[in-house]
Amino acid sequence: LFLSYCISGIQMLSVQPDTKPKGCAGCNRKIKDRYLLKALDKYWHEDCLKCACCDCRLGEVGSTLYTKANLILCRRDYLRLFGVTGNCAACSKLIPAFEMVMRAKDNVYHLDCFACQLCNQRFCVGDKFFLKNNMILCQTDYEEGLMKEGYAPQVR
């Protein structure tokens, strides 16, 4: 087996005035700036280490870059192009790899689909939700289901 992609760290280093200038892997010119970036075992001007898709400066968007198929990419574009997508546990539609999601155990949901699957109540930050028989339930519907099954939840 071999890796088909690489995740690499980006280090920002200050250039010491008494050292010989290093060559930039992006433009092949000497780096005379105050700072340089080190990534993929090479040195870069801050302006030269960019995402091949969106042109963002990778030293500014985080400390990680992704490489695949001779491309240097930011996380978002890597996921957009090569990321593993899945299906929403509520609507079964595809979730793009770069989209924000909600998770409950092994289930993944679109943000808009993360609601009680009986009454469609959307959850707010801090709300309790329950996962029963692979369904997301609000507290009211969960407790009503327990009552129908013949045992009440303990109130504390």
Side-chain angles (χ1 to χ4, degrees):
L1 291 176
F2 60 91
L3 291 176
S4 59
Y5 70 97
C6 174
I7 301 172
S8 178
I10 302 171
Q11 294 177 295
M12 179 176 276
L13 306 170
S14 60
V15 176
Q16 301 303 316
D18 56 344
T19 60
K20 180 181 170 195
K22 302 200 182 317
C24 175
C27 68
N28 293 318
R29 287 181 287 175
K30 297 288 182 196
I31 302 172
K32 297 176 183 174
D33 303 343
R34 186 172 175 192
Y35 296 99
L36 59 81
L37 299 176
K38 183 176 181 184
L40 303 171
D41 291 325
K42 298 176 183 171
Y43 297 97
W44 308 77
H45 288 106
E46 291 178 83
D47 287 338
C48 291
L49 187 59
K50 294 182 185 177
C51 174
C53 287
C54 70
D55 243 12
C56 71
R57 291 170 42 155
L58 293 172
E60 292 178 357
V61 297
S63 60
T64 305
L65 63 82
Y66 296 77
T67 58
K68 184 167 181 172
N70 292 326
L71 296 172
I72 296 175
L73 302 165
C74 66
R75 181 178 191 274
R76 180 184 156 108
D77 283 324
Y78 173 79
L79 290 174
R80 186 174 58 79
L81 294 170
F82 304 110
V84 177
T85 58
N87 292 329
C88 176
C91 72
S92 300
K93 292 181 182 170
L94 192 68
I95 300 174
F98 60 87
E99 189 173 301
M100 295 290 286
V101 296
M102 294 297 292
R103 294 182 187 274
K105 293 201 175 180
D106 293 332
N107 296 341
V108 182
Y109 303 86
H110 293 107
L111 292 181
D112 291 339
C113 294
F114 194 70
C116 177
Q117 290 177 284
L118 292 180
C119 71
N120 294 320
Q121 174 190 327
R122 299 276 312 264
F123 297 107
C124 296
V125 173
D127 286 350
K128 285 186 180 177
F129 69 90
F130 299 84
L131 190 62
K132 180 155 175 76
N133 299 329
N134 232 15
M135 287 179 59
I136 297 176
L137 302 173
C138 65
Q139 188 164 1
T140 303
D141 287 330
Y142 176 75
E143 290 174 356
E144 284 178 10
L146 290 179
M147 296 294 267
K148 289 176 186 171
E149 292 174 8
Y151 56 93
Q154 292 181 347
V155 179
R156 295 180 188 200

